Amino acid sequence: MTSRVKVKEAMKEKVPGAKAHLVRPGKVLVLGSGALKIGEAGEFDYSGSQAIKALKEEGVKTVLINPNIATIQTSEGMADKTYFLPVTPFFVERVIEKEKPDGILLSFGGQTALNCGVALFESKVLERHGIRVLGTPVKTIIDTEDRELFVKRLDEIGVKTPRSIAVNCVEDSKKAARKIGYPIIIRAAYSLGGQGSGFCSSEEEIVDRAAKAFTHSSQILVEESLRGWKEVEYEVVRDSYDNCIIVCNMENFDPLGIHTGESIVVAPSQTLTNSEYHKLREISIKVIRHLGMVGECNIQFALDPFSEDYRVIEVNARLSRSSALASKATGYPLAFVAAKLGLGYSLPELRNSITKVTTSCFEPALDYIVCKIPRWDLSKFSQVSNRIGTGMKSVGEVMAIGRNFEEVIQKGLRMIGHGMHGFTANRDILYPDLEHELKNPSDRRIFAIAKAFEEGYSVDRIHELTRIDKWFLHKLENITSISNELSSHGSLGSLPDELLLEAKKRGFSDFQVARLVLKPGSAEMEESLLKVRDHRKKKGIIPFVKQIDTLAAEYPAMTNYLYLTYSGSCHDVGFGRQGGDEDSVVVLGSGAYRIGSSVEFDWCCVNTAASVRKTGRKAIMINFNPETVSTDYDMCDRLYFDELTFERVMDVIDLEDPLGVVVSTGGQIPNNLAMRLHKEGARILGTSPESIDSAEDRHKFSRLLDELGVDQPEWKELRSFSEVKAFADKVGFPVLVRPSYVLSGSAMNVVSNPEELEQFLKLASDLSKSHPVVVSKFIEGAKEIEIDAVAKDGEMLCYAISEHVEFAGVHSGDATIVFPPQKIYVETIRRIKRISRRIAKKLGISGPFNIQYLAKDNDIKVIECNLRASRSFPFVSKVLKLNLIDLAARVMLGEDVKKPEKSSFELDYVGVKAPQFSFSRLQGADPILGVEMASTGEVGCIGDDFDEAILKSMLSVGYDYPRKGVLLSTGPVDSKAELVEEARLLAGKGLLLYATPGTARFLEESGVKCTALYWPDDKRSPNTLECLKSGKIDLVINIPKNLSRSELYNDYTIRRNAVDYNIPLITNMRVAKAFVQAMCNTDKKDISIKAWEEY
Amino acid sequence: MKLTKARLILEDGSVFFGKSFGFESSVAGEVVFNTGMTGYPESLTDPSYAGQILVLTYPLIGNYGVPGDEQDEASGLLENFESDKAHITGLVVSDYSFEHSHWNAKKSLSEWLVENKVPALFDIDTRMLTKMLREKGTMLGRIVFDKDERKEKGQGFFDPNKENLVKKVSISEKKIYRGRGEVVGRGVLRVVLVDCGVKNNIIRCFLKRGVEIVRVPWNYDFLGEEYDGLFISNGPGDPKACKATIANLKKSLDANDPKPVFGICLGNQLLALACGADTYKLKYGHRGQNQPAVMHTDNKHNRCFITSQNHGFAVDSESLPEGWEVLFSNANDGTCEGIRHVSKPFFSCQFHPEAACGPTDTEFLFDDFLEEVRKHKRESGRSGK
């Protein structure tokens, strides 16, 4: 008689890391990702926050290190201790010594945390302090990060990777390329989002690229090119009992060759058969088991479009941008689950947080499609190519949810916020060479495809040029044909209902329908759009609300993660009184992260929703950014993951009939909707839309200031070059030139002379033909001061005044900000308070607002006023330890709010907010500061004094104490003079000084020794360029010679090379002074290690 | 494009209006939903769907067309499908993709459905429909074309579970397939496969392991065959309709030195019925590729597999007689996902370890079964008549 059937485990080989640790750590250190930068953005606030929540739920103490003060994870009620310190081995070790944690999470803070963790592991710091790495072991991380090891590990199990040769010098890269055959791709190991990567089709290209890649990494890979292959990603979860699931698979719309962060991506995959889908799934699991991952990871495949051949491109042994996207796309809380698995839980033990009754050990079934589209801001940078490729340039992304591809791509293109209305019915973009445009992907290629269809290109032809799968192209063609059909009707009366409904199902907005059918001029656009809306509502053509439930309706969802679609015939949820008795409040989110609007507004929105809930009302969030915490369905009562357009917001308001709408915490997008929503009868909470308009409209606001007798820089709205010239002559150069109604200074510039003025106006007038130009007097050497405040019925309840380190002329988003201010006259502060009070009173402000001032010799001028939360609200709230948003929210909800007693004058510490730039990602960009915002993120650190605070901040955004040499090129004479003392200090620290000819002469004359270097365009030696490349310099101070964007070749070359060779660069005289002084006054080891709670 | 409109009418009177992309003829059947996101050519040819109008919850269908009718030379099985023809009665989706794109596609799904005479509707709120089926349970339904209205009048719903569907989909006479994979150990193993509506991939899974398959009709008395192991396949409808299979299986289980037995899906239910346990109809069944099955081989129940499923009936775990135990259970609703004998080499699973469509995580069960077969063969000398 045989014994009973033995069911073996699925896996045959010994699996590393498959043993469960059931010993719970008592205290866990969580590493954040620091400032938002290209390649590492808001998604890590989401993952870190979820990890902290998961640990807290288990009673584990958490210590967080993250200098990004605007994040949710660094907020009250999150980690037990929060350190606003750089995520570098030096500081993390100091925190370890102090906090003595017994566990650490490395995979929730992006590449920054991972690299830092690997360094701490390799230097045995973790071992020395007895700290266990929770989740994926460091050995596995190293296996995935080192390409050679990675390939070897995959070879062991017969999994294919691209043919590739690892090299350590430029010469070897040439040899490797010859062996593999051109075209090849170059990749740098250990880098953020493909930095330093690129295609090369010739020896010349490889020499150039390889040299740059080596500055990011000591090793580069020369690989076979798989251009045109499909790119597919899988998000895999594995627990320590070896259970594996695929939470989501995703397919790139753009074929391989474009970084996944730069690609339009859909989930789930659309063009894969069962056999392909499950083949790649099986390989994913095999790989993850073999490597011994515990928690979450991402695996990227290339799939041959003509067979089932594949290559594994990359494995990310950590939460990534894709995993944040997968979480939002499926409703599966990846980061939360990954953290629990790190504590030793098994997948089947954890519940599905949407159904509450089913297990977490399952694979979400979607009954919708999502589409992610990247957001680029390349036009903000001079000399940056808008071509996209294997490196990442995008600064944010959006995710659209719907029930067909046409719907999601059109929704997504609107969400991007570049003024497009969908795939069609947009303003005409001119492509001088359409074929070239299709062949060479850029940030606008999708619109080139629209243009091609318009011009009669076939799907086959476009496929040949773009290599985009024909399935996607057929869908886009379908949008074009619906557009054409709509255009063939001239009135709503003649438009068949069925066609209108079909158009709405395929993602057409009322705006598109209005433009295509009614063909109005721009003046009648708004009216036409309302006509369409009215017409379709009368016909009963309205969207339906559907739930995201992870199980395709197989089980009821207990959460309200929602989207709207016309492909439906019933709502999944009830509304208004049906939905419950409480009043609800709609909070409008901030949309895609972009330069000028990012995580800080998400913090404001999340806090507003929390405050709404605290008052017993239901919070309804509308937002579509998958990188945010505000789009976590447990942050509000209802989450509409949908557009922030007038149409969609009104759709939600029509359904929900809320008490009101909050437009003042999500930045400029909701702010711009205020008046239109108000006109349609929506109740705007807080400051009245008329007042918002008065502050936004330059003329109205200027008149108001005049009435109040408040000074402002002289300005004029002008329509011709001669008028502008005359005005500039009158007030004197320099002048600031800009169009009205802008965010983060698009198309603004300071011009110093008539030639620059003429040159700039040619560009600016191209940008906005119908709009006049606003020219104002630019005041040099003025201090910029900001006030962030909350008022109730015009009475200022609380405020925070902060000062910029830089003189006016640097965009406030790029400025280094000090709070409380350290160098302002008491009289100036008094006057700013007084003026702010008067403005608040006049505009009847109820809610948050921000005013920016110029101060010179006690002379104060107002330069800008926003009746909404500004990007510095989280910073000042956290330094002040008074949540200004909570206060503002309660004011807007009409709660009884007492004036808080806190005052910034009582603070015995200082906060400094510093910008993070991503110039290294933007090939060719001139890393210079101006009135246009260029930073992608920021940090905020607290110190016992200004020196300590600025040091912590600047070390957090990539600066460090130089140890070898400093290159000085200190610009105009006055700034040369200003920086002599600092040069002396640096020399006093034993640093070697190098200087460009003029600066060198100046320093010598002042008695500071330095080595003079020739300018880059001078062929003579010693040359600045060779010095930069030699590694002798670890700080560059290069002060631009004038205010304009067009800088001289030599200075540009120095700055650009500093960025390309990863050398810290300072381009502002005031920042240079502050940093050098602080650095020379305070040793790195003397910087205090204090948690936020200790100040 | 002018599209024919048609309706899906449920037994509770609900009506869904859709547009046709398949064969234009009115039909009646049991309406069920499947939550898988890929694999429609496999699902539509799965004999277990006989008599059913299938609702796909994933909205975008038809994207990669339908592959060709290539046959495997040795076995004669269609390479890209799960049987020789479409078995579903009707198909209901949200968004049909009129244009498809795939290197492997030979025709569009629409063309294929028309050829196979399967009616299909799109532009229906399949989420709403699924929620109704979830709330009220699986319902009977009809797809009605206006042109058939008059003819249709008076015609009622059709409950496939009242018929012996297995009889309709099973093979009519014995057929032998020779394995082509690597043969492990000495001698070729010979497995009798009782075809209650078997999916091709089950046969493929055996063949690639070098096994010789004797595929026999559902009511065939296999006890007279020479074989080393017994396999009971998946299939449509109520297991209790397969009286002959149950009787034969019972004889096999009760034999002296019985041959190892492995059953999948309907095979699991038949094994349960043969050993004296009971089966019942689930409210709305399990159809999808994401069903978690927990393995009961240790006390912690820490192992859980993602499985592909397609069943409306289940084994009542409580009714298992002495000597039998639950091998797998569903992590979501606790239902029985597999059983085994505590001492004899009999086991079965409710899910589909052969996948197609679906995840391949549990394909190791074939190896487990064959190991038992090999062991049994070794221990009992030659396999006897």
Side-chain angles (χ1 to χ4, degrees):
Chain A
M1 185 64 47
T2 50
S3 63
R4 69 177 181 182
V5 175
K6 280 188 204 68
V7 180
K8 291 171 304 199
E9 302 264 327
M11 121 220 91
K12 301 276 191 286
E13 57 188 301
K14 199 170 160 282
V15 177
K19 204 162 59 216
H21 304 283
L22 278 166
V23 189
R24 286 282 151 84
K27 194 194 241 186
V28 170
L29 188 62
V30 181
L31 301 186
S33 65
L36 269 60
K37 40 197 153 316
I38 292 179
E40 216 176 27
E43 64 270 18
F44 300 113
D45 188 19
Y46 150 79
S47 51
S49 304
Q50 294 244 323
I52 292 167
K53 278 191 214 167
L55 294 177
K56 275 176 83 99
E57 203 176 85
E58 297 301 320
V60 177
K61 289 248 175 298
T62 49
V63 177
L64 171 67
I65 306 181
N66 190 357
N68 192 338
I69 202 163
T71 53
I72 307 296
Q73 56 180 264
T74 57
S75 299
E76 216 185 317
M78 292 299 294
D80 293 291
K81 286 255 186 97
T82 302
Y83 286 87
F84 296 119
L85 286 174
V87 184
T88 59
F90 177 86
F91 285 99
V92 174
E93 189 176 356
R94 296 289 93 74
V95 174
I96 287 173
E97 285 162 1
K98 186 176 163 193
E99 292 287 345
K100 306 196 182 347
D102 50 359
I104 189 167
L105 286 178
L106 305 178
S107 49
F108 295 81
Q111 197 69 32
T112 299
L114 205 67
N115 288 350
C116 183
V118 170
L120 291 167
F121 172 82
E122 286 179 337
S123 62
K124 303 229 184 301
V125 170
L126 299 181
E127 195 184 320
R128 217 162 40 237
H129 292 273
I131 299 174
R132 183 152 56 89
V133 175
L134 306 182
T136 299
V138 176
K139 162 84 175 61
T140 302
I141 296 171
I142 295 170
D143 281 352
T144 58
E145 295 280 314
D146 180 309
R147 291 297 295 192
E148 213 173 341
L149 273 177
F150 176 68
V151 169
K152 197 180 126 245
R153 297 286 282 141
L154 265 52
D155 276 349
E156 289 167 3
I157 47 169
V159 170
K160 291 195 211 173
T161 47
R163 281 195 303 136
S164 159
I165 300 170
V167 294
N168 298 304
C169 70
V170 177
E171 204 42 49
D172 288 351
S173 68
K174 282 198 292 192
K175 278 186 215 146
R178 252 176 265 140
K179 207 160 153 194
I180 292 169
Y182 289 100
I184 52 97
I185 179 172
I186 278 192
R187 286 172 181 276
Y190 283 97
S191 81
L192 299 174
Q195 209 160 357
S197 303
F199 280 101
C200 306
S201 44
S202 70
E203 197 138 292
E204 274 155 35
E205 277 180 46
I206 202 171
V207 169
D208 186 50
R209 272 203 185 280
K212 280 194 185 129
F214 277 121
T215 64
H216 295 287
S217 173
S218 57
Q219 184 194 65
I220 64 164
L221 275 298
V222 180
E223 295 183 347
E224 69 176 306
S225 161
L226 301 168
R227 233 173 194 170
W229 285 36
K230 294 181 186 184
E231 190 168 350
V232 185
E233 293 181 65
Y234 283 70
E235 296 300 320
V236 196
V237 174
R238 175 170 174 268
D239 66 14
S240 40
Y241 306 87
D242 207 27
N243 295 307
C244 291
I245 57 167
I246 302 295
V247 168
C248 186
N249 94 324
M250 296 178 259
E251 179 177 2
N252 287 11
F253 166 90
D254 302 288
L256 202 75
I258 298 178
H259 189 278
T260 175
E262 301 285 275
S263 295
I264 294 175
V265 175
V266 294
S269 61
Q270 296 301 316
T271 70
L272 269 58
T273 61
N274 175 72
S275 164
E276 290 166 329
Y277 179 103
H278 286 287
K279 179 179 183 172
L280 299 186
R281 180 187 175 281
E282 195 176 305
I283 295 167
S284 304
I285 291 176
K286 193 170 162 187
V287 167
I288 266 56
R289 282 189 168 142
H290 184 64
L291 294 174
M293 221 77 69
V294 173
E296 203 274 349
C297 84
N298 158 275
I299 176 162
Q300 290 169 21
F301 291 96
L303 178 66
D304 183 358
F306 303 107
S307 78
E308 286 190 10
D309 198 11
Y310 75 92
R311 301 284 186 279
V312 172
I313 301 294
E314 197 174 300
V315 170
N316 279 306
R318 56 170 171 84
L319 276 295
S320 61
R321 185 177 335 98
S322 295
S323 54
L325 180 68
S327 292
K328 306 291 178 177
T330 59
Y332 191 100
L334 274 169
F336 186 83
V337 169
K340 291 265 171 136
L341 299 184
L343 292 176
Y345 274 100
S346 76
L347 271 168
E349 273 178 285
L350 303 173
R351 293 287 88 185
N352 176 329
S353 47
I354 284 196
T355 64
K356 316 276 189 204
V357 296
T358 59
T359 176
S360 273
C361 189
F362 78 111
E363 303 191 346
L366 279 58
D367 58 3
Y368 50 85
I369 172 177
V370 310
C371 178
K372 175 214 93 173
I373 307 181
R375 152 96 190 194
W376 291 275
D377 268 332
L378 299 176
S379 59
K380 301 240 176 215
F381 302 94
S382 55
Q383 309 191 47
V384 170
S385 152
N386 70 341
R387 297 289 154 207
I388 59 172
T390 52
M392 199 168 153
K393 289 177 171 178
S394 63
V395 289
E397 63 191 33
V398 302
M399 183 180 95
I401 310 173
R403 289 183 49 95
N404 59 63
F405 179 74
E406 295 91 325
E407 180 185 15
V408 291
I409 191 90
Q410 295 226 78
K411 266 185 167 184
L413 291 172
R414 284 192 287 277
M415 289 170 172
I416 281 301
H418 277 312
M420 299 313 233
H421 301 283
F423 183 64
T424 57
N426 292 312
R427 61 165 193 271
D428 213 17
I429 301 179
L430 294 173
Y431 295 101
D433 183 348
L434 192 55
E435 296 218 345
H436 182 261
E437 206 59 44
L438 291 168
K439 237 182 187 159
N440 300 282
S442 73
D443 56 343
R444 296 187 309 185
R445 179 158 80 169
I446 183 84
F447 300 109
I449 296 172
K451 186 82 178 173
F453 277 125
E454 213 177 285
E455 293 193 358
Y457 281 55
S458 67
V459 163
D460 287 342
R461 181 76 187 118
I462 299 175
H463 169 72
E464 262 169 51
L465 293 163
T466 62
R467 293 283 137 202
I468 293 169
D469 194 283
K470 286 183 200 170
W471 184 82
F472 294 108
L473 296 174
H474 279 299
K475 296 286 172 187
L476 294 176
E477 190 187 33
N478 189 34
I479 299 176
T480 309
S481 30
I482 294 170
S483 274
N484 294 340
E485 232 181 301
L486 288 170
S487 298
S488 70
H489 296 275
S491 73
L492 292 173
S494 73
L495 179 70
D497 292 356
E498 207 163 324
L499 175 59
L500 177 57
L501 179 60
E502 177 65 9
K504 295 305 283 182
K505 282 183 179 173
R506 302 292 167 189
F508 280 80
S509 65
D510 290 347
F511 183 102
Q512 284 172 295
V513 174
R515 180 173 274 179
L516 292 165
V517 176
L518 301 174
K519 306 167 184 75
S522 56
E524 302 98 56
M525 197 58 239
E526 184 72 15
E527 191 193 330
S528 307
L529 180 163
L530 290 171
K531 267 188 206 155
V532 171
R533 180 175 182 82
D534 193 47
H535 173 78
R536 69 163 172 80
K537 277 167 78 176
K538 276 191 192 128
K539 298 280 185 186
I541 299 175
I542 53 156
F544 289 94
V545 177
K546 296 285 178 195
Q547 252 171 331
I548 285 179
D549 63 12
T550 68
L551 285 163
E554 193 184 353
Y555 283 84
M558 298 298 148
T559 48
N560 285 308
Y561 180 7
L562 311 167
Y563 67 99
L564 281 87
T565 180
Y566 284 85
S567 287
S569 40
C570 82
H571 295 296
D572 276 352
V573 293
F575 301 103
R577 301 296 168 256
Q578 295 165 266
D581 284 325
E582 331 92 284
D583 282 321
S584 61
V585 171
V586 172
V587 180
L588 300 185
S590 59
Y593 287 170
R594 60 193 70 190
I595 290 178
S597 171
S598 61
V599 68
E600 59 279 0
F601 292 112
D602 200 54
W603 182 86
C604 292
C605 291
V606 167
N607 276 277
T608 306
S611 301
V612 168
R613 296 174 96 180
K614 269 189 258 164
T615 66
R617 298 176 178 94
K618 283 200 307 182
I620 298 171
M621 179 73 68
I622 310 181
N623 198 7
F624 51 75
N625 182 343
E627 304 177 291
T628 57
V629 176
S630 65
T631 53
D632 270 357
Y633 47 79
D634 58 350
M635 300 311 289
C636 56
D637 297 285
R638 279 191 178 180
L639 166 66
Y640 284 92
F641 203 105
D642 220 302
E643 294 173 61
L644 284 162
T645 52
F646 164 75
E647 175 180 348
R648 197 37 36 109
V649 173
M650 279 311 296
D651 290 338
V652 172
I653 291 173
D654 284 349
L655 291 168
E656 294 281 356
D657 187 20
L659 180 72
V661 185
V662 175
V663 297
S664 54
T665 54
Q668 202 60 23
I669 295 176
N671 200 53
N672 288 349
L673 286 175
M675 201 61 181
R676 297 171 70 199
L677 296 174
H678 171 68
K679 278 186 184 155
E680 280 304 289
R683 190 175 159 210
I684 306 297
L685 297 181
T687 311
S688 80
E690 286 88 356
S691 292
I692 295 174
D693 186 54
S694 300
E696 292 284 342
D697 185 302
R698 185 162 296 281
H699 293 276
K700 289 182 188 166
F701 187 62
S702 181
R703 253 197 319 273
L704 184 139
L705 292 180
D706 287 345
E707 281 168 36
L708 293 173
V710 174
D711 205 6
Q712 54 189 309
E714 209 171 330
W715 68 279
K716 214 156 190 181
E717 192 177 86
L718 302 162
R719 283 155 211 281
S720 71
F721 179 68
S722 55
E723 281 176 1
V724 175
K725 175 90 172 41
F727 176 80
D729 285 342
K730 192 189 120 208
V731 299
F733 281 97
V735 290
L736 178 67
V737 188
R738 65 168 149 187
S740 50
Y741 234 93
V742 291
L743 178 69
S744 67
S746 287
M748 266 202 288
N749 208 351
V750 176
V751 291
S752 306
N753 52 54
E755 295 76 54
E756 278 179 21
L757 180 66
E758 189 169 357
Q759 195 196 349
F760 175 66
L761 278 181
K762 267 185 202 147
L763 291 170
S765 54
D766 248 322
L767 279 174
S768 47
K769 254 177 200 152
S770 57
H771 297 293
V773 199
V774 170
V775 187
S776 53
K777 167 77 187 145
F778 181 78
I779 298 156
E780 284 175 286
K783 283 192 81 74
E784 202 167 326
I785 300 166
E786 296 196 37
I787 183 167
D788 289 312
V790 177
K792 185 187 181 187
D793 302 323
E795 188 205 348
M796 199 157 82
L797 290 181
C798 67
Y799 64 88
I801 293 172
S802 46
E803 67 178 319
H804 293 195
V805 170
E806 298 84 352
F807 281 139
V810 171
H811 189 284
S812 71
D814 288 349
T816 311
I817 294 178
V818 189
F819 172 74
Q822 304 294 302
K823 289 168 183 165
I824 314 182
Y825 301 119
V826 178
E827 172 61 14
T828 304
I829 288 182
R830 204 172 0 225
R831 289 174 63 181
I832 282 174
K833 272 196 297 191
R834 209 178 300 138
I835 295 169
S836 302
R837 283 212 177 88
R838 294 213 313 259
I839 293 173
K841 183 117 222 146
K842 183 80 184 167
L843 288 166
I845 300 174
S846 274
F849 68 101
N850 159 278
I851 306 175
Q852 290 164 32
Y853 295 92
L854 282 186
K856 196 174 183 181
D857 316 322
N858 257 335
D859 196 17
I860 291 162
K861 295 183 196 321
V862 171
I863 50 176
E864 204 176 316
C865 173
N866 294 302
L867 303 195
R868 55 166 175 82
S870 75
R871 82 175 60 75
S872 41
F873 264 63
F875 167 65
V876 295
S877 291
K878 286 184 186 175
V879 174
L880 198 53
K881 296 191 184 182
L882 173 70
N883 189 329
L884 296 191
I885 286 296
D886 176 54
L887 202 68
R890 285 188 289 128
V891 166
M892 290 187 279
L893 291 167
E895 299 281 299
D896 189 24
V897 181
K898 296 271 172 306
K899 210 169 182 164
E901 285 173 7
K902 259 202 169 132
S903 157
S904 57
F905 296 105
E906 288 158 20
L907 302 183
D908 51 6
Y909 52 86
V910 184
V912 169
K913 179 162 96 75
Q916 167 80 53
F917 298 94
S918 299
F919 290 121
S920 63
R921 296 298 191 131
L922 301 162
Q923 251 181 55
D926 189 354
I928 195 174
L929 304 190
V931 286
E932 285 254 32
M933 186 165 162
S935 61
T936 53
E938 62 190 28
V939 297
C941 299
I942 302 174
D944 289 323
D945 56 28
F946 171 72
D947 282 351
E948 196 180 89
I950 195 166
L951 278 173
K952 286 180 180 173
S953 307
M954 291 191 66
L955 297 183
S956 295
V957 293
Y959 292 93
D960 204 350
Y961 283 65
R963 281 167 306 158
K964 292 176 274 182
V966 180
L967 171 63
L968 297 162
S969 174
T970 50
V973 176
D974 45 347
S975 96
K976 278 194 169 57
E978 283 273 3
L979 287 169
V980 168
E981 263 331 289
E982 282 65 33
R984 210 185 303 279
L985 282 172
L986 288 171
K989 287 275 162 187
L991 292 160
L992 295 174
L993 300 188
Y994 301 88
T996 47
T999 307
R1001 239 180 349 263
F1002 199 96
L1003 289 175
E1004 292 290 345
E1005 282 163 17
S1006 315
V1008 182
K1009 282 191 76 174
C1010 68
T1011 309
L1013 302 175
Y1014 290 105
W1015 285 108
D1017 65 353
D1018 200 325
K1019 294 284 166 277
R1020 282 175 292 175
S1021 200
N1023 190 287
T1024 39
L1025 271 192
E1026 83 195 4
C1027 203
L1028 283 170
K1029 287 180 193 173
S1030 70
K1032 282 186 235 165
I1033 289 171
D1034 42 16
L1035 177 66
V1036 175
I1037 297 174
N1038 175 288
I1039 312 299
K1041 298 215 170 35
N1042 63 35
L1043 301 158
S1044 118
R1045 292 168 63 141
S1046 55
E1047 257 281 323
L1048 299 169
Y1049 166 82
N1050 274 326
D1051 282 309
Y1052 164 77
T1053 306
I1054 290 175
R1055 288 191 290 268
R1056 193 58 229 178
N1057 275 280
V1059 168
D1060 288 340
Y1061 289 99
N1062 254 334
I1063 307 168
L1065 166 73
I1066 299 177
T1067 61
N1068 184 283
M1069 180 269 287
R1070 304 260 303 165
V1071 174
K1073 278 178 87 77
F1075 181 61
V1076 170
Q1077 284 174 13
M1079 203 167 64
C1080 296
N1081 290 341
T1082 312
D1083 268 1
K1084 199 170 172 179
K1085 63 175 183 355
D1086 295 331
I1087 294 175
S1088 68
I1089 305 298
K1090 275 163 84 175
W1092 181 28
E1093 295 75 13
E1094 294 170 63
Y1095 287 99
Chain B
M1 197 178 336
K2 193 73 195 130
L3 294 162
T4 310
K5 290 183 183 164
R7 284 163 293 159
L8 170 70
I9 304 172
L10 299 183
E11 61 178 313
D12 72 345
S14 321
V15 180
F16 290 82
F17 293 88
K19 294 164 188 156
S20 169
F21 69 103
F23 186 66
E24 296 186 4
S25 169
S26 301
V27 288
E30 184 184 28
V31 185
V32 298
F33 66 87
N34 182 308
T35 64
M37 299 185 289
T38 178
Y40 54 83
E42 289 83 354
S43 288
L44 306 188
T45 52
D46 177 351
S48 296
Y49 280 113
Q52 294 176 327
I53 294 173
L54 179 61
V55 180
L56 296 178
T57 63
Y58 188 67
L60 293 83
I61 299 297
N63 302 8
Y64 50 83
V66 177
D69 287 336
E70 295 85 358
Q71 278 183 322
D72 176 67
E73 258 176 55
S75 65
L77 297 174
L78 291 184
E79 277 179 357
N80 298 306
F81 300 99
E82 284 310 301
S83 69
D84 293 341
K85 60 175 182 131
H87 282 282
I88 57 164
T89 297
L91 179 66
V92 176
V93 307
S94 175
D95 185 33
Y96 173 65
S97 201
F98 282 92
E99 303 289 343
H100 64 271
S101 163
H102 198 271
W103 59 270
N104 198 20
K106 288 291 185 306
K107 56 190 79 161
S108 74
L109 174 59
S110 176
E111 288 164 340
W112 186 84
L113 288 167
V114 171
E115 273 173 29
N116 280 271
K117 299 199 168 23
V118 178
L121 302 185
F122 77 102
D123 207 14
I124 281 179
D125 186 345
T126 45
R127 181 169 168 86
M128 178 184 175
L129 177 54
T130 303
K131 279 173 71 184
M132 287 175 67
L133 296 175
R134 176 186 85 205
E135 300 298 330
K136 299 186 179 174
T138 301
M139 279 187 266
L140 301 182
R142 298 188 294 154
I143 291 177
V144 180
F145 284 83
D146 290 347
K147 65 180 170 71
D148 297 333
E149 187 87 72
R150 219 174 310 135
K151 200 164 58 178
E152 268 291 307
K153 251 185 201 132
Q155 270 199 29
F157 292 97
F158 161 70
D159 186 352
N161 295 311
K162 296 216 168 94
E163 301 235 328
N164 186 348
L165 293 168
V166 166
K167 195 169 151 189
K168 290 186 176 170
V169 297
S170 180
I171 196 168
S172 53
E173 51 193 65
K174 185 172 102 176
K175 190 170 178 188
I176 291 171
Y177 301 86
R178 302 204 190 281
R180 56 161 190 277
E182 188 192 343
V183 180
V184 188
R186 273 167 299 142
V188 173
L189 296 179
R190 191 174 158 97
V191 169
V192 163
L193 181 151
V194 180
D195 176 13
C196 299
V198 70
K199 281 167 68 187
N200 285 347
N201 213 40
I202 291 180
I203 302 176
R204 291 186 204 111
C205 281
F206 279 118
L207 297 184
K208 77 177 177 200
R209 286 171 171 77
V211 175
E212 184 175 303
I213 287 291
V214 186
R215 179 179 178 179
V216 299
W218 69 285
N219 56 356
Y220 187 87
D221 184 0
F222 48 82
L223 292 158
E225 289 286 320
E226 189 175 321
Y227 67 101
D228 304 312
L230 176 64
F231 175 82
I232 318 292
S233 86
N234 64 300
D238 188 339
K240 287 173 185 164
C242 303
K243 294 202 170 63
T245 324
I246 297 166
N248 290 333
L249 184 52
K250 195 165 165 21
K251 273 188 262 171
S252 166
L253 297 179
D254 292 343
N256 272 330
D257 191 17
K259 303 272 162 56
V261 178
F262 176 30
I264 289 178
C265 195
L266 183 73
N268 175 53
Q269 296 156 16
L270 294 175
L271 184 63
L273 290 170
C275 79
D278 198 12
T279 57
Y280 64 101
K281 193 167 194 288
L282 292 166
K283 193 175 178 191
Y284 51 90
H286 293 151
R287 290 177 191 85
Q289 302 175 17
N290 64 347
Q291 293 287 341
V294 174
M295 189 163 74
H296 291 235
T297 47
D298 60 11
N299 295 328
K300 291 190 205 113
H301 300 173
N302 275 329
R303 289 294 280 143
C304 182
F305 300 97
I306 305 302
T307 66
S308 176
Q309 301 201 9
N310 171 20
H311 65 110
F313 289 84
V315 172
D316 178 2
S317 309
E318 297 297 311
S319 70
L320 284 175
E322 181 93 10
W324 290 81
E325 63 184 5
V326 170
L327 177 56
F328 293 102
S329 67
N330 191 298
N332 285 340
D333 60 13
T335 56
C336 179
E337 291 287 2
I339 57 173
R340 71 171 161 185
H341 193 273
V342 294
S343 60
K344 296 175 188 171
F346 311 145
F347 80 112
S348 59
C349 56
Q350 186 57 60
F351 49 83
H352 288 268
E354 82 284 5
C357 46
T360 51
D361 300 5
T362 49
E363 203 185 307
F364 66 89
L365 289 175
F366 285 93
D367 298 314
D368 288 350
F369 172 59
L370 293 175
E371 198 172 303
E372 291 301 328
V373 174
R374 200 168 294 116
K375 196 167 126 200
H376 182 267
K377 187 178 180 179
R378 200 166 52 230
E379 283 170 10
S380 54
R382 341 181 14 258
S383 56
K385 279 214 165 190

